[in-house]
Amino acid sequence: MDIGTIELSVEALIGSLLALSILFAFCRSLLSEDFVSTFKTRHSWKSIKVLEQACFCNVCEILLTPSAGLFCDCCGLCTHATPPCQRRADREYRCKDKWLRNESSVRHLWVHGNLPMGVHCADCNEEVDHHVSTDPGLYGWRCAWCQRCYHNDCYTRADSMEACDLGEFKDMIFPPYSFVAARTRDSMRLHLASITPPDIENWEPLIVIANTKSGSSTGANVLSLLRGYLHPLQVMELGSRGPQDALQWAAKASPRPCRMLVAGGDGTIAWVLNTIYTLNIKPQPSVAIMPLGTGNDLSRVLGWGAEPPSVLDPVKILRSIRRARSVNLDRFDLQIEKLHYRLPIQRHPTKTIHVYNYFSVGVDAYITYNFHKTRESRFYLLSSRIFNKLLYFTFGTQQVMQPGCEHIEEKLTLYLDNKPVQLPELQALVFLNIDSWGAGCKLCELSNANGEVRIVNSISDGMMEVFGIVSSFHIAQLQCNISKPVRIGQAKQIRLQVKETVPMQADGEPWMQSPADIRLSSRSQARVLKLAAT
């Protein structure tokens, strides 16, 4: 190698080192306090269609059309979707602080106009929005943290720079000064290092998880509306990794208890309860439900209803959660040991499934199995509660015309508390922990009709009620409350020997089960929130 080549190589090396030093300096500047401050207060824009009310742009003060308007679901700021207004909103208007370092309080974040309907002024206690008709445009002020609202004149008399007490729902909020961020991935996700409980009386924060694939757009709307009333990062979407990210908040808040709102169907609820059990979070979070699935049986029993409200009111949702009481829910372990009936009989390792609502074998599981196969098909394009119920009806009708689970009792041997049970002619066996099955059918209540010995169902007594179903037509009769199920018994220890392949389901999740030895018993409990009727 000659001297000229060596000099070129040295110059190239020096140039590379210089480029790396410039890149390092740039990256360090991105991590400066100014950048972090901008990063942690970034707006989260959504369509104003979620708000279902007239809104004005906070930048140009022109009325927004639903198709062209955006609002920040963290602070409530509104803007046009066009670059001039949106860029200016991002540049000039602050959003909620996602976290605060070395602080012990948070200041009010005042947003001009676009107040919720029917709010009252925190100063004079008169309704604020009645002035809008006489003074169109941006009117009134609202704090994005405590939700206090003022008339324009009353706002000038208020101490707008004082520390915010977080308002009516302060016991549900993670204040931005209460935790330490170890690292960040994006503006709406945070890796927690620790949480310091704030000095708030009866602080029991609420973690919100929504399955946005359930219930059309309802799950996403729940998230957008509740982010404005809570800390935005404690309200999150259920992703492919499951609820682990959300549950780190409950784990870090220990020993203080947390509440959870899970928006989804029975499968989503079971997923969250199973993850709480697997992660061994103590104390266990108490789970409330926003029903977005097709059946929603657990939601019905706990008083949260069969479907989401037609109008999503975040204030009503949060007040209902505060009013609900925490109760125990039995968690049954369904242990499946596969068998091969050859000499000698071969046994396979035991698989355990947690059951909270019910477990069934036979025609109802077969209908659910066919429905799930259809829903997982690439041709399944329309997702809605009505369409899903239509599919269930179709598969149920098919089983009336072409029954596929006749004489299922011949394929099963049942033991209740170690005693063998002689089964009548059936097409399904149902094991209930809660008195709601098949989208609201109350088998225990139906069985208690006509003066028979009453069955008292409890969700926390460690016992399951066992019923038989004669046919898919019998299911339709039960759902219309014009028939009764076949009583089989009650037990704390259940054993079911399966001799041939049969359809099964646990909490609405179906599968085809080959010969197996199955045992069912309660070994632990979950915590759920039960809403009393008003």
Side-chain angles (χ1 to χ4, degrees):
M1 182 180 294
D2 57 24
I3 295 176
T5 303
I6 293 175
E7 290 178 348
L8 288 174
S9 299
V10 171
E11 289 178 358
L13 178 60
I14 293 173
S16 299
L17 291 174
L18 181 61
L20 286 173
S21 65
I22 294 173
L23 179 62
F24 177 75
F26 174 73
C27 292
R28 185 170 59 181
S29 70
L30 290 183
L31 295 176
S32 66
E33 286 295 320
D34 290 340
F35 175 76
V36 169
S37 177
T38 302
F39 179 76
K40 68 184 182 179
T41 58
R42 186 182 301 170
H43 291 290
S44 172
W45 300 113
K46 300 292 187 299
S47 170
I48 61 170
K49 294 178 182 178
V50 177
L51 299 178
E52 297 184 347
Q53 69 176 57
C55 296
F56 291 83
C57 177
N58 281 91
V59 177
C60 67
E61 300 194 18
I62 295 175
L63 180 67
L64 296 169
T65 61
S67 60
L70 300 175
F71 85 105
C72 174
D73 64 2
C74 298
C75 68
L77 193 76
C78 295
T79 178
H80 284 95
T82 53
C85 288
Q86 187 177 353
R87 287 175 183 170
R88 186 177 167 190
D90 281 321
R91 185 174 61 251
E92 299 181 8
Y93 295 84
R94 289 182 62 83
C95 189
K96 285 181 177 178
D97 287 302
K98 306 305 184 291
W99 81 93
L100 294 171
R101 297 173 181 172
N102 304 318
E103 297 284 349
S104 59
S105 64
V106 61
R107 295 192 178 277
H108 290 292
L109 177 63
W110 296 106
V111 179
H112 193 195
N114 299 314
L115 275 58
M117 301 297 293
V119 296
H120 288 75
C121 177
D123 181 59
C124 67
N125 203 33
E126 291 185 9
E127 191 170 340
V128 177
D129 63 341
H130 78 277
H131 289 271
V132 175
S133 59
T134 58
D135 188 12
L138 292 174
Y139 186 87
W141 292 84
R142 176 184 59 86
C143 173
W145 282 111
C146 67
Q147 310 303 322
R148 288 187 177 89
C149 298
Y150 289 94
H151 297 105
N152 285 347
D153 293 339
C154 296
Y155 174 74
T156 60
R157 296 194 298 268
D159 187 358
S160 59
M161 300 304 294
E162 66 179 1
C164 180
D165 65 358
L166 302 179
E168 178 183 353
F169 304 112
K170 57 179 174 288
D171 59 315
M172 296 183 171
I173 297 174
F174 285 94
Y177 55 81
S178 66
F179 51 82
V180 177
R183 58 187 171 88
T184 61
R185 292 177 235 181
D186 59 51
S187 65
M188 296 305 295
R189 298 183 69 181
L190 189 72
H191 184 81
L192 295 177
S194 63
I195 291 178
T196 302
D199 186 18
I200 296 175
E201 186 178 359
N202 300 321
W203 187 66
E204 190 176 348
L206 176 69
I207 301 165
V208 181
I209 307 176
N211 185 352
T212 55
K213 295 181 181 179
S214 297
S216 187
S217 62
T218 306
N221 293 348
V222 169
L223 295 179
S224 289
L225 292 172
L226 289 181
R227 280 197 188 108
Y229 283 77
L230 304 172
H231 190 298
L233 298 180
Q234 71 188 84
V235 182
M236 58 204 85
E237 181 180 349
L238 183 67
S240 59
R241 292 185 63 240
Q244 288 90 338
D245 287 344
L247 289 172
Q248 69 165 319
W249 291 74
K252 300 296 184 185
S254 178
R256 300 293 288 271
C258 289
R259 291 170 282 198
M260 295 189 72
L261 172 63
V262 181
D266 288 330
T268 302
I269 310 303
W271 194 3
V272 173
L273 294 178
N274 288 342
T275 306
I276 292 172
Y277 176 77
T278 301
L279 297 179
N280 194 29
I281 296 177
K282 301 295 182 182
Q284 289 190 68
S286 298
V287 177
I289 301 172
M290 170 69 71
L292 302 184
T294 304
N296 302 316
D297 287 296
L298 184 58
S299 176
R300 297 169 191 262
V301 170
L302 296 177
W304 299 104
E307 58 188 15
S310 56
V311 177
L312 293 173
D313 185 337
V315 173
K316 287 184 178 179
I317 293 171
L318 295 175
R319 287 175 179 170
S320 295
I321 293 171
R322 175 180 286 158
R323 193 174 73 248
R325 62 187 180 92
S326 182
V327 298
N328 289 326
L329 172 68
D330 285 330
R331 179 188 291 110
F332 282 82
D333 288 351
L334 181 69
Q335 297 177 314
I336 304 173
E337 186 179 17
K338 291 184 180 180
L339 302 176
H340 283 298
Y341 283 101
R342 301 171 185 166
L343 293 177
I345 295 178
Q346 298 178 354
R347 293 179 176 267
H348 293 266
T350 301
K351 174 184 178 182
T352 300
I353 299 172
H354 298 306
V355 179
Y356 300 93
N357 302 349
Y358 55 81
F359 163 64
S360 67
V361 186
V363 63
D364 68 317
Y366 194 45
I367 294 170
T368 305
Y369 180 75
N370 286 330
F371 167 75
H372 274 252
K373 282 201 306 182
T374 302
R375 191 166 65 172
E376 291 168 1
S377 167
R378 61 180 178 176
F379 300 107
Y380 183 81
L381 302 176
L382 181 61
S383 176
S384 70
R385 287 170 49 85
I386 296 176
F387 184 66
N388 290 343
K389 288 183 177 182
L390 180 61
L391 280 179
Y392 268 108
F393 175 77
T394 301
F395 291 125
T397 303
Q398 181 187 28
Q399 286 301 303
V400 174
M401 307 303 295
Q402 298 175 332
C405 297
E406 288 182 309
H407 303 292
I408 200 168
E409 75 283 352
E410 298 175 0
K411 304 176 184 179
L412 308 171
T413 301
L414 176 65
Y415 298 86
L416 299 182
D417 290 332
N418 299 319
K419 296 178 181 179
V421 177
Q422 186 67 36
L423 294 173
E425 185 175 325
L426 298 171
Q427 286 195 25
L429 268 178
V430 180
F431 303 85
L432 292 180
N433 180 39
I434 64 173
D435 192 18
S436 183
W437 162 85
C441 187
K442 298 183 178 182
L443 297 184
C444 293
E445 186 176 304
L446 291 172
S447 177
N448 290 334
N450 299 331
E452 294 192 24
V453 178
R454 289 187 59 82
I455 295 177
V456 179
N457 175 263
S458 171
I459 64 174
S460 58
D461 61 357
M463 185 175 292
M464 274 202 165
E465 283 69 47
V466 186
F467 295 98
I469 306 297
V470 176
S471 66
S472 59
F473 184 69
H474 188 202
I475 294 175
Q477 291 178 311
L478 291 170
Q479 290 176 331
C480 294
N481 296 329
I482 57 174
S483 186
K484 294 167 53 178
V486 179
R487 277 193 187 183
I488 305 296
Q490 291 176 300
K492 291 190 174 183
Q493 302 289 332
I494 297 171
R495 182 181 181 187
L496 189 67
Q497 291 179 324
V498 181
K499 304 169 190 175
E500 300 179 27
T501 299
V502 293
M504 292 186 174
Q505 69 166 333
D507 292 347
E509 300 297 322
W511 72 95
M512 297 301 292
Q513 180 61 56
S514 58
D517 192 1
I518 297 177
R519 297 174 188 269
L520 189 62
S521 61
S522 175
R523 300 188 179 182
S524 60
Q525 291 181 319
R527 297 291 291 176
V528 291
L529 288 171
K530 186 172 185 178
L531 183 63
T534 56

